């Protein structure tokens, strides 16, 4: 792969800002007539071309089929051949409002991301380009259950 991040190091500010900006742009497409809580995510491929895949949340009148922004971005990416990621930025707030809280990925999205990002995935939860928290998926999902637990090498 190459181009991997040093573990423990934070993303350079310019790279974090680029992902946050992409997440805000994706949030514009959020389909949220029920909650009116709009979320955007930007997921960066590790190494190679470092493509960035974006997603928004997509709700449904039957509620349950609702897809979070993070999984929209993830499934778009995997369906286009990307399987390893090193960072994701997430922004969320009620339509027309600014957030007082950061939006952390829900439990289902943590698990979905763990499959492809592992514990080192950088997770940037942003209120704005200048106000964000960067942590890792390992912090958000300790002892995550992944392919290794099933003794599977996903690249076989
Ligand atoms: N949502 C996301 O898209 N990502 C998150 O990290 C938190 C929740 C969406 C799901 C639903 O459309 C709305 O936010 C309210 O739960």
């Amino acid at each position: 792969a190459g181009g991997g991040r040093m573990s423990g190091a934070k993303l350079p500010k310019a790279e974090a800002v680029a992902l946050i900006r992409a997440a805000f742009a994706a949030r514009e497409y959020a389909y949220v007539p029920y909650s009116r809580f709009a979320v955007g995510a930007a997921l960066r491929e590790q190494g190679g071309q470092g493509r960035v895949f974006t997603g928004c949340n997509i709700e449904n009148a039957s509620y349950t089929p609702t897809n979070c922004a993070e999984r929209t971005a993830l499934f778009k990416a995997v369906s286009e051949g990307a399987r390893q990621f090193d960072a994701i930025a997430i922004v969320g707030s009620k339509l027309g409002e600014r957030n007082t809280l950061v939006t952390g990925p829900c439990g289902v999205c943590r698990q979905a991301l763990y499959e492809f990002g592992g514990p080192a995935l950088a997770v940037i939860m942003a209120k704005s380009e200048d106000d964000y928290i960067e942590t890792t998926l390992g912090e958000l999902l300790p002892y995550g259950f992944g392919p290794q637990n099933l003794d599977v090498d996903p690249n076989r």
Side-chain angles (χ1 to χ4, degrees):
R5 301 168 53 243
M6 303 258 296
S7 71
K10 302 270 191 212
L11 254 69
K13 170 102 203 249
E15 294 184 22
V17 166
L19 285 177
I20 292 166
R21 216 170 264 171
F24 272 115
R27 179 182 172 277
E28 291 294 313
Y29 297 122
Y31 176 72
V32 289
Y34 307 104
S35 73
R36 302 188 65 77
F37 190 84
V39 184
L43 179 63
R44 189 174 74 177
E45 184 181 23
Q46 181 169 48
Q49 313 160 66
R51 289 180 288 174
V52 172
F53 296 88
T54 60
C56 62
N57 51 336
I58 305 168
E59 298 189 339
N60 189 280
S62 186
Y63 291 17
T64 309
T66 293
N67 209 56
C68 292
E70 297 90 325
R71 274 174 295 137
T72 302
L74 178 66
F75 297 154
K76 281 174 64 183
V78 174
S79 69
E80 305 220 353
R83 288 198 173 176
Q84 293 266 76
F85 308 97
D86 63 2
I88 186 170
I90 304 160
V91 299
S93 62
K94 281 262 182 183
L95 287 176
E97 293 178 23
R98 279 180 61 118
N99 238 352
T100 51
L101 301 173
V102 294
T103 297
C106 82
V108 171
C109 288
R110 291 178 198 203
Q111 181 64 33
L113 289 165
Y114 195 83
E115 183 77 20
F116 297 98
L121 181 75
V123 180
I124 296 167
M125 301 174 286
K127 293 192 226 174
S128 72
E129 291 177 15
D130 297 307
D131 187 3
Y132 62 86
I133 293 168
E134 178 177 339
T135 182
T136 64
L137 190 56
E139 293 287 332
L140 296 176
L141 188 67
Y143 303 102
F145 188 82
Q148 74 283 359
N149 294 97
L150 297 175
D151 210 11
V152 165
D153 170 6
N155 300 309
R156 82 192 187 287

